[in-house]
Amino acid sequence: MRRAIGYSLLLFWTALAAAVHLTLAGFSVSLFSGIGADSVPTLRAFVPDLVTLLLVATVGRLSRRDTLMIALVVFVGRSAFTGSPPFAVLAGTILTAYVADTLRTVAELDRPFLRIVSAGLGSLLYGYWLVFVDHALARESQALGELHFGSPDAAAVGLPIVTAVATALCALAFWPVFTRLPGQKRLERRAF
């Protein structure tokens, strides 16, 4: 029961992080809306990926055997706030979680430099995974003669780098907040 409450709270924090991310992205676009419609994706790229930061911070703190369950909970919370294909979001979330888990085996992620690296790398992997999926879907739609609106252009390929840098800087400042959210203590396993 204790772990179920912990996972429920993680789901809540993930949904809240996704909602804050969308609100900040919408605010940045509306604040600079006079610049032009072509700059909207660029403006949204400057908003840190808070869900990936939460995922990496949670995976870095909890037991290794919980990595898949954490990824699944974060996927559910994130998928409610995205228009990307659900299986692409699932695969990207699991990939990000296991890369963070692998980094954790090398060194402890609570060090400032490793916070930056793990959060930035996680955001970069997730962002480029979605760009790859969009590109594959656009290619398939072209081959089948269908109309597809999500195809990435040449300028969009660099946007995950901007988001990764913003996420890494956010991790430097807010990592302790993300590792001490209410409910995460309930997910810690007791050592026997």
Side-chain angles (χ1 to χ4, degrees), residues 27-41:
F27 178 72
S28 68
V29 169
S30 66
L31 186 65
F32 299 104
S33 62
I35 295 174
D38 295 339
S39 63
V40 169

Side-chain angles (χ1 to χ4, degrees), residues 119-132:
L121 183 63
S123 177
L124 191 68
L125 283 173
Y126 184 77
Y128 273 122
W129 171 252
L130 291 183
V131 167
F132 172 75

Side-chain angles (χ1 to χ4, degrees), residues 23-97:
T23 302
L24 289 175
F27 178 72
S28 68
V29 169
S30 66
L31 186 65
F32 299 104
S33 62
I35 295 174
D38 295 339
S39 63
V40 169
T42 305
L43 292 173
R44 289 181 63 120
F46 283 98
V47 177
D49 186 356
L50 298 176
V51 177
T52 298
L53 178 56
L54 176 64
L55 173 66
V56 171
T58 304
V59 166
R61 180 179 171 125
L62 300 178
S63 175
R64 293 192 71 202
R65 57 185 160 173
D66 295 327
T67 302
L68 182 60
M69 187 64 179
I70 292 166
L72 292 174
V73 169
V74 170
F75 156 70
V76 171
R78 174 176 251 165
S79 63
F81 292 91
T82 185
S84 299
F87 287 115
V89 174
L90 176 63
T93 304
I94 290 173
L95 173 71
T96 304

Side-chain angles (χ1 to χ4, degrees), residues 118-156:
S118 61
L121 183 63
S123 177
L124 191 68
L125 283 173
Y126 184 77
Y128 273 122
W129 171 252
L130 291 183
V131 167
F132 172 75
V133 168
D134 280 347
H135 185 67
L137 289 175
R139 289 285 205 184
E140 182 181 359
S141 295
Q142 280 180 339
L144 297 174
E146 299 173 356
L147 189 60
H148 181 72
F149 297 102
S151 61
D153 57 355

